[in-house]
Amino acid sequence: MALDSIIRGVTSGTGVEVNASNQIKVVTETDAATNPGNVGAIRIFGENDGGALTGSELLRSPEVDVDYRQRVSQDIIYDDHVFNTTAQDTGKHSYANTTMTNTWTAGQLTTNGSSITTTTTGTVFATYAQFPLQGTTTVSADAELGFSAQPQSNTFIEFGIGIPGAQTVAPTDGVFFRLNASGLQGIASFNGAEATTGLFPATAGTGTWAYTNSKRYQFIAYVTAVEAQFWVNDGTGANCLGTIPLPAGQSRMCMSSYGQFFLKHRITGGAAGGIIQATMGAYNVRVGGTNQITTVSTAGNRIQGSYQGGSGGTMGTVARFGTITTGNEANVTAAVPTTTTAALGSGLGGTFWETVSLAVNTDGIIMSYQVPAGTVNVPGRRLVLRGMYLTSYVQTVIVGGPYVAEWFLAFGHTAVSLATTEAATTKAPRRVTLPFNQLVTAAQAVSTLISQPTQFVDFGDAPIYVNPGEFIQLCTRHIGTVGTSGTVVHRVTPVYGWE
């Protein structure tokens, strides 16, 4: 008995035809304007994760704007570091410790290098730079990291992006992995209020994910405005470990709008049940979801505001000026510059009155500004200096001289003094020689300009970056015959942006 079926239209009674390969002949609607109801559509989804660990597929659909354009973007790398040296990179990283220590060997950073189990001890490794968590962008922090032993009681190892806080307490804010006695999980902290994925599952949403001792994994934390995701790549492919949706009542996944990459190891609540170390071979911080048509710092100015204080800090101008009353500026007070203080006042550019009796061959700070440190309430903006103008004139007749005033830029140091030393948690000033060599003549008269060959330096494609909490200073050194009295006014105009 034949089981053939004939497909016919209910209304027309016309049968369906096939071609020579027995494929049904199909003609899509040819007049979509007249017959829009006859037009079919397929919803497109991309599979981000097959659900091997979580038990649920993670699907996302592409986005099309109101003018029918599909949204695309590329990753921008903010930081990348391979631990291929045998010492801390004190220019990029801060390292604080309480009893416990970290060690650097070629190929990795190791926490708890002295293998202790003592309670109330810990270390924090973190970038000086902070990275923006903004809008619809996706910030990812990935670490190539492993553990020397299985989880131990009273031991916490945390790594991700946020504000790490002190050595022996939980991170203040951010999105990060946490290994404790129970296992590995993902955390989103909103100024200390934590949401968690729970322990990561082993397969299909069940069990507890476990690692192999001393094996290096790629762990990735993704942060958006409304979700945090946690992934692992064990060398056979990346799998999602868990997600945290935006908790009710919160504006973002974390309160801070900038965060550091960090690795923290702490023992609290009693002695550790055994020795464990974390070993990190590399990390990377990048942002996706944005197409930069201008420089990152220009976009930062657009968001944060240019040539002014940032949210949560001192508002208004950040330049050094005299007291302004009813719109008029009073003259500032003159002072002798020193090597260790901002004697002429603080500000990013502005007006600085120098009493010229600085000893010859001695460095003196003219302009000084500290980039605000990042907190949960203050964005950790990085300063990008692209150029600087300097002009000077005599305000009070010079007694003594002549001398040449050499100029240099000092930046990156973590205290105001030019004598600040390089250490695990402090940075010495980096110096850049500037072309502002000035000639001050003996007994130079009032209201005359100081002679100098150029008034502007352009840093072009090699701008100066200054991290949150660090100083930037315009400094001078007198070569020749000391001036005993007199005042020179310096007008400083930096060209800068915020990232």
Side-chain angles (χ1 to χ4, degrees), residues 66 105 303:
V66 295
T105 56
I303 295 169

Side-chain angles (χ1 to χ4, degrees), residues 32 34-40:
T34 303
N35 304 305
N38 293 346
V39 178

Side-chain angles (χ1 to χ4, degrees), residues 174-246:
V175 171
F176 49 90
F177 290 86
R178 171 180 288 160
L179 180 72
N180 61 15
S182 300
L184 192 65
Q185 59 188 301
I187 303 292
S189 175
F190 189 84
N191 195 24
E194 294 186 352
T196 177
T197 59
L199 295 178
F200 294 138
T203 180
T206 62
T208 302
W209 185 82
Y211 54 85
T212 300
N213 291 353
S214 301
K215 178 177 179 177
R216 201 70 59 82
Y217 296 83
Q218 181 189 30
F219 294 101
I220 311 172
Y222 291 100
V223 189
T224 74
V226 296
E227 186 180 49
Q229 294 183 6
F230 302 87
W231 290 65
V232 65
N233 188 334
D234 63 0
T236 62
N239 289 284
C240 182
L241 290 163
T243 62
I244 302 175
L246 181 66

Side-chain angles (χ1 to χ4, degrees), residues 258-279:
Y258 282 71
Q260 301 162 270
F261 176 83
F262 68 88
L263 167 62
K264 169 180 281 192
H265 187 152
R266 57 192 175 95
I267 302 173
T268 59
I275 297 168
I276 186 173
Q277 299 169 321
T279 57

Side-chain angles (χ1 to χ4, degrees), residues 335-337 354-359 398-399 403 478 482-488:
V336 179
E354 177 194 2
T355 300
V356 300
S357 54
L358 175 69
I398 302 298
V399 178
Y403 64 85
H478 295 177
V482 67
T484 56
S485 65
T487 302
V488 172

